[in-house]
Amino acid sequence: KGAGFTGDFATHGFPNFLAVNIDGLLDRFVGEDREARQDYPYLGFTYDQSFRIDEKIAAGFVQMNFETIAGGLPFSGNIGVRIVHTDQSSTSSLDDPTNPDPNVRYYSTFGDKYTQFLPSANMVLDVSDRDRLRLSLSRQISRPRFYELRNAIGFSIYDIGGGKYQPIGGGGNPKIRPYAAKQVDFTYERYLGTTGIFALGLFYKEL
């Protein structure tokens, strides 16, 4: 199925893109009478597959810019820190095998709260009208995907053929925290008039 772009997208050669009809695919390859328990409030999927993730992030930063002379050369940049507080949790439910009522469930919610400090500094030294040195130091984070924060696990047996079966499973962790990295970037730039630039960069990253 094609969905048309209008305005600037169409003008620049992007008139259409593909849109997948998920319900149509399931109707064709699974069947229109497929059964999915999606009547559990605010979750979705089936009962046992359902989970909910809540994540609240509050962040702020301070920054100081500077411009001075160092060794007779123009020296400028900025120094700052970003403070990030995260409150994350996930909710899921389990069936009660002692109760025939499918609406009776055990609910479980847990997660984590944490605060991270992310300092950074960027400095530029103008060696000449055409030559420039840049140095950047920072602490960065990369958050996990939402699916990895789920409060749910799954397990099944997979038929690998020849009368052999392989157990497979997986789950999430609502307490998982972002990857943190310390980064250093150094760059030498040589400006070639108004026609181009030659740049040589080095970096160091510690996870």
Side-chain angles (χ1 to χ4, degrees), residues 34-54:
R34 63 186 183 280
E35 181 176 352
R37 295 295 302 275
Q38 294 183 330
D39 49 348
Y40 177 45
Y42 71 77
L43 288 183
F45 296 113
T46 64
Y47 267 147
D48 295 328
Q49 293 174 329
S50 296
F51 59 89
R52 171 174 173 168
I53 295 174
D54 294 286

Side-chain angles (χ1 to χ4, degrees), residues 84-163:
V84 184
H85 178 75
T86 303
D87 182 354
Q88 63 189 36
S89 64
S90 178
T91 301
S92 64
S93 67
L94 293 174
D95 188 19
D96 182 357
T98 65
N99 195 316
D101 186 352
N103 294 314
V104 176
R105 312 284 295 179
Y106 289 115
Y107 302 101
S108 171
T109 299
F110 71 100
D112 197 11
K113 298 179 181 180
Y114 54 90
T115 301
Q116 295 174 298
F117 296 86
L118 308 174
S120 65
N122 301 280
M123 293 161 279
V124 179
L125 180 66
D126 293 323
V127 180
S128 70
D129 293 339
R130 300 176 60 186
D131 300 282
R132 178 173 292 175
L133 298 177
R134 295 182 184 271
L135 178 64
S136 299
L137 304 96
S138 64
R139 185 173 186 265
Q140 306 285 342
I141 60 172
S142 176
R143 295 186 179 276
R145 295 175 296 177
F146 278 125
Y147 195 62
E148 295 172 344
L149 294 171
R150 69 192 186 277
N151 178 19
I153 60 174
F155 179 81
S156 62
I157 302 295
Y158 180 67
D159 185 356
I160 60 176

